[in-house]
Amino acid sequence: MAAGFNEQFDRHGAWRREMGMRLKVLADWLREQELLDDGSEESVQRLAEQLRADKVMVAFVAEFSRGKSELINAVFFAGYGRRIMPASAGRTTMCPTELGYDAGLPPCLRLLPIETRLQPQALLDWRQVPEKWTRVDLDVNDPAQLAGAMEKVSEVLHVSQDEARALGFWHDDRPDDNPPVDAAGAVEVPRWRHALINMAHPLLKQGLVVLDTPGLNAIGAEPELTVNLIPQAQAVVFILGADTGVTKSDLTIWREHLASVDDGLGTRFVVLNKIDTLWDELSTPARIEAQIARQCAETAHTLELPPAQVIALSAQKGLLAKVRGDDGLLAQSRLPPFEQLLGRQVLGARQSVLQGAIRASVGRLQADAARTLGARRRELAEQALELKGLRGKNHVVIRQMRLRVEQEKAEFDRSAASVLAVRTVHMKLLREVFKLLGSSSIKKELAGLATMLRESGVKFGVKRAYAHGFDNLRGVMRRVQMLEGEIHEMLTNAFRQLNAEYGFSLQAAPPPDMARFESDLGAVERSHLQYLGVGNIVQLARPEFAEKLLRALVARVRSIFETALGDIELWNKSCSSQLDAQLRERRRAFGRRIEAIQRIQGAAGELDGRIAEIGEQEAALEAAQRRLSGLAHELQTSDLDAPAPHPQPEAATA
Ligand SMILES: Nc1nc2c(ncn2[C@@H]2O[C@H](COP(=O)(O)OP(=O)(O)OP(=O)(O)O)[C@@H](O)[C@H]2O)c(=O)[nH]1
Ligand SMILES: [Mg+2]
């Protein structure tokens, strides 16, 4: 049988660790050979961090009681021998719950009180304020304590209608979506706004993040979840009841939260849960099978998805089967094919991303190191020639030679001025980029949209304001790209001149492509418009809702801009540290040449000894070049025994 999600995730983790180890071997060796300049050192560290801490988020989204929490229990937590996430009839999970692992914290459950909704800060900002979260420690060796603590995500409060309205749970214009009211007129609302669970579960330790969400109402009231968190998940699992198929409220959720998720990578899965309710002893297996197949086909059609992305199963029987070790029931639950699909597509896509990053980064490291090795070899060859020319020459000639080398060195030292000039221009251009990608620039470009959102009343022109704001942001990215082009051209010219004058082999790497960030911005814009398009435009009339949406937007754009800036900084650093490295190498070469001549001046037999030494050094450099290719090759080609790097073809064609 093919591997389930857990095993595939384990293998993916092993692959990442192996790659991390190989990277360390390469980096240690480069450092030892003094081939790792500051820029390369930083890019090694970034790649190592990416390999180590890369997160994969799987979000579960559906109407209440479809079995999201039960499916999470079945796929991820059956090993505890019981339900860990609370799953019961009616509304159970009351707040979005993220399960992940942070080594810096003890196993715990952290809960953000619902009252924080009365304040304008984005959820992203609250994450930075640990003291506002209520912490409950978890005993991961005690499944009963664990499950008991998790019950907190179901807690509710009873508040007045006005309070519920202020918290965003009561809408006079959408009475059907309002939460239940008790005899005394109190409204039931979630006690917590968001829950973060930190535990050293093997999958979570390897970077899996699971997002469980509550049914419709509570999600709808937290725009940030829809426009930021869910679109950033690597996979979203949407759950329906196998008996009912796509109901009207399911369709509302799909449209609001999932229809705009970019599906280029096949990251949306639909589960028709509770097939056990169709197991009917008065029917025949063939008839039940036909019924399930029909539901799957209809669902795929309604949601406009490839049929292979729709899977029927029973989460509850799957969990039960795993807890009891009942293979027959497990097969009947059809949980395993879902786990395989999830593993293959999510981890496959993740692995391709990481492989791309490794190839690019190691390729650059290798090219830089090879260039330095080449320069060292050239210098040795020249020195050998210089020394061989001294054979049989008298001390006058040798002294002249020494004077010439010293003169050359003095000339080279004067290059410092032109290098400084290059750096000054470089820094000036770079500062312009920093300004364009800074917080005040975002504020400026989105000022029109912000004003529009903050106006009171229904905002009819909001789509145009979004389009305008995002055009501005894309314009910023294009200006940044142009500035990068200027920097690149300036460096290329300066390097060419330095190469010609001083025999360097400097080469400015091509700048990072901003198109990627432009398309990230496009995705953010789409998720907002989609969200507003499905009825939420009416909600925009409420200032606190509009403010929340705006904050969520700015937080997301800021993180895109910061990532772009990080890439640009690294690129610039690697260009300037290349120059530093070559200057240093050259200074050292002068030192060696002068020292060799001094030795020859001192003793007659030294010349042949020195020539022989150079021969040995040349051989060592040749060996180093071979070793470099070997180490880089190991990082760039390895697939190990890991999930296939591409989604399976049947997903698109069946
Ligand atoms: N028969 C059957 N019941 C299931 C299955 N999966 C879940 N259930 C039941 O359906 C109910 C709801 O499941 P939950 O996992 O709490 O549903 P949810 O989607 O997390 O719901 P909320 O947390 O309220 O949003 C529970 O009583 C589950 O035991 C299944 O495969 N078969
Ligand atoms: Mg739930």
Side-chain angles (χ1 to χ4, degrees):
M1 202 179 72
F5 189 77
N6 290 10
E7 289 103 290
Q8 294 195 49
F9 209 96
D10 275 346
R11 262 193 264 160
H12 175 73
W15 176 82
R16 271 172 22 197
R17 276 192 303 281
E18 172 67 28
M19 284 296 147
M21 237 127 69
R22 290 182 190 185
L23 178 65
K24 187 174 178 310
V25 172
L26 172 67
D28 286 348
W29 181 82
L30 287 171
R31 213 172 286 122
E32 201 180 279
Q33 304 286 322
E34 295 184 51
L35 288 169
L36 208 56
D37 60 41
D38 291 351
S40 314
E41 185 79 66
E42 192 170 322
S43 74
V44 165
Q45 259 150 32
R46 274 200 194 191
L47 184 60
E49 182 60 19
Q50 197 181 354
L51 281 168
R52 198 183 56 77
D54 183 49
K55 299 269 184 221
V56 176
M57 185 188 267
V58 181
F60 289 74
V61 179
E63 179 58 293
F64 73 94
S65 226
R66 294 290 186 263
K68 296 175 293 286
S69 305
E70 193 78 321
L71 187 56
I72 290 171
N73 281 322
V75 175
F76 303 105
F77 301 115
Y80 287 100
R82 57 166 295 157
R83 265 192 195 106
I84 296 297
M85 301 296 286
S88 60
R91 293 178 191 281
T92 307
T93 312
M94 296 301 287
C95 65
T97 304
E98 254 176 85
L99 295 109
Y101 176 65
D102 175 351
L105 279 175
C108 63
L109 166 65
R110 280 171 301 158
L111 300 145
L112 184 65
I114 198 73
E115 297 79 50
T116 55
R117 280 201 185 199
L118 301 173
Q119 283 155 276
Q121 283 86 343
L123 198 55
L124 210 67
D125 302 323
W126 288 108
R127 286 176 195 259
Q128 318 298 325
V129 199
E131 64 276 14
K132 296 285 183 204
W133 298 68
T134 300
R135 202 174 97 181
V136 181
D137 287 329
L138 299 175
D139 182 355
V140 285
N141 297 315
D142 179 356
Q145 193 268 348
L146 198 57
M150 301 290 191
E151 291 287 340
K152 288 222 166 306
V153 303
S154 304
E155 287 180 348
V156 293
L157 291 175
H158 290 93
V159 300
S160 71
Q161 249 180 52
D162 284 340
E163 284 170 299
R165 196 176 294 113
L167 288 168
F169 291 105
W170 192 270
H171 308 303
D172 297 322
D173 49 315
R174 296 208 287 186
D176 293 348
D177 294 342
N178 287 339
V181 184
D182 66 15
V187 185
E188 189 183 284
V189 300
R191 171 149 184 218
W192 309 105
R193 180 179 182 184
H194 202 85
L196 296 171
I197 293 169
N198 185 51
M199 56 196 268
H201 180 282
L203 293 177
L204 304 180
K205 265 175 102 168
Q206 284 169 38
L208 178 71
V209 177
V210 177
L211 176 66
D212 190 7
T213 60
L216 177 66
N217 246 329
I219 323 184
E222 184 88 89
E224 195 170 352
L225 196 64
T226 312
V227 296
N228 283 0
L229 215 50
I230 295 173
Q232 285 190 80
Q234 275 74 30
V236 186
V237 182
F238 181 61
I239 305 176
L240 302 165
D243 46 348
T244 55
V246 188
T247 67
K248 191 162 162 274
S249 67
D250 290 325
L251 202 56
T252 308
I253 297 188
W254 174 262
R255 292 211 177 114
E256 188 159 314
H257 303 284
L258 293 146
S260 75
V261 172
D262 186 6
D263 210 24
L265 293 163
T267 50
R268 289 178 303 180
F269 302 87
V270 173
V271 165
L272 281 171
N273 190 25
K274 311 195 186 182
I275 55 166
D276 57 300
T277 57
L278 306 177
W279 297 346
D280 174 355
E281 285 172 20
L282 293 178
S283 185
T284 65
R287 211 174 283 157
I288 295 171
E289 179 60 48
Q291 198 184 344
I292 293 175
R294 201 174 51 243
Q295 280 289 29
C296 285
E298 274 171 19
T299 303
H301 180 75
T302 312
L303 303 181
E304 296 172 37
L305 274 185
Q309 297 293 106
V310 181
I311 289 220
L313 55 79
S314 166
Q316 193 190 58
K317 295 296 180 259
L319 174 62
L320 184 68
K322 282 188 180 177
V323 169
R324 287 203 188 139
D326 181 341
D327 290 343
L329 185 60
L330 186 62
Q332 230 186 334
S333 77
R334 305 199 190 185
L335 185 62
F338 168 68
E339 297 185 333
Q340 285 147 28
L341 184 72
L342 191 64
R344 211 162 53 210
Q345 296 199 1
V346 176
L347 302 179
R350 220 50 218 144
Q351 191 167 327
S352 320
V353 169
L354 286 177
Q355 266 167 338
I358 294 174
R359 263 196 290 275
S361 200
V362 172
R364 270 195 309 274
L365 286 174
Q366 186 182 8
D368 284 351
R371 203 171 321 115
T372 309
L373 284 175
R376 284 183 195 169
R377 288 180 69 174
R378 252 194 327 280
E379 257 151 29
L380 276 182
E382 276 165 23
Q383 205 195 344
L385 214 64
E386 193 170 274
L387 294 181
K388 280 177 191 156
L390 291 181
R391 275 200 176 116
K393 296 284 161 41
N394 62 28
H395 65 274
V396 179
V397 178
I398 296 176
R399 207 180 51 235
Q400 271 169 358
M401 165 72 81
R402 180 171 168 181
L403 286 175
R404 211 178 63 220
V405 174
E406 275 167 355
Q407 219 165 22
E408 248 180 72
K409 180 169 181 296
E411 221 168 89
F412 166 75
D413 286 341
R414 278 195 291 278
S415 72
S418 33
V419 169
L420 193 66
V422 173
R423 282 203 215 286
T424 311
V425 180
H426 188 183
M427 286 327 288
K428 190 173 149 269
L429 288 169
L430 203 52
R431 267 197 299 276
E432 279 180 53
V433 175
F434 278 34
K435 212 164 123 198
L436 278 172
L437 292 175
S439 289
S440 46
S441 160
I442 300 175
K443 212 163 157 189
K444 187 175 124 223
E445 304 300 343
L446 290 179
L449 177 60
T451 311
M452 157 71 106
L453 286 175
R454 285 183 176 132
E455 267 166 22
S456 56
V458 179
K459 291 130 184 150
F460 291 108
V462 74
K463 288 207 168 148
R464 222 172 320 118
Y466 262 97
H468 187 66
F470 274 86
D471 281 345
N472 289 351
L473 295 175
R474 277 186 285 265
V476 169
M477 283 298 173
R478 285 193 208 120
R479 283 207 294 284
V480 168
Q481 186 85 57
M482 263 166 51
L483 274 172
E484 282 191 328
E486 268 179 54
I487 295 177
H488 186 242
E489 197 186 315
M490 188 281 291
L491 287 177
T492 305
N493 289 336
F495 283 5
R496 196 181 298 129
Q497 211 169 335
L498 289 168
N499 289 349
E501 239 165 279
Y502 303 102
F504 289 145
S505 53
L506 296 162
Q507 198 181 351
D513 191 356
M514 291 297 114
R516 193 186 116 211
F517 302 106
E518 252 189 73
S519 88
D520 284 355
L521 287 171
V524 176
E525 182 182 16
R526 271 198 308 283
S527 72
H528 274 251
L529 290 181
Q530 169 76 23
Y531 183 55
L532 292 174
V534 289
N536 285 315
I537 210 143
V538 185
Q539 294 217 61
L540 267 187
R542 300 201 333 270
E544 72 285 357
F545 178 90
E547 186 66 36
K548 271 214 182 81
L549 200 65
L550 182 63
R551 295 258 180 164
L553 173 65
V554 171
R556 180 82 188 94
V557 170
R558 204 189 308 128
S559 90
I560 293 175
F561 274 33
E562 277 168 8
T563 312
L565 198 56
D567 284 6
I568 296 173
E569 272 186 302
L570 186 58
W571 168 63
N572 280 281
K573 195 161 178 184
S574 80
C575 288
S576 51
S577 52
Q578 195 189 118
L579 182 53
D580 291 336
Q582 295 209 10
L583 290 172
R584 202 169 46 233
E585 290 273 335
R586 180 58 58 85
R587 233 169 262 130
R588 216 179 282 162
F590 275 120
R592 273 199 306 268
R593 281 164 72 189
I594 291 171
E595 190 210 301
I597 298 171
Q598 272 171 344
R599 274 163 58 191
I600 294 158
Q601 278 179 319
E606 277 291 345
L607 181 57
D608 284 329
R610 184 61 201 142
I611 291 173
E613 252 173 55
I614 289 179
E616 278 161 30
Q617 283 166 356
E618 280 179 323
L621 280 180
E622 227 171 278
Q625 224 143 17
R626 278 196 302 275
R627 178 98 176 109
L628 172 64
S629 312
L631 290 173
H633 183 76
E634 270 180 22
L635 268 156
Q636 287 171 312
T637 52
S638 167
D639 263 327
L640 283 186
D641 183 19
H646 299 294
Q648 294 302 297
E650 80 250 20
T653 54

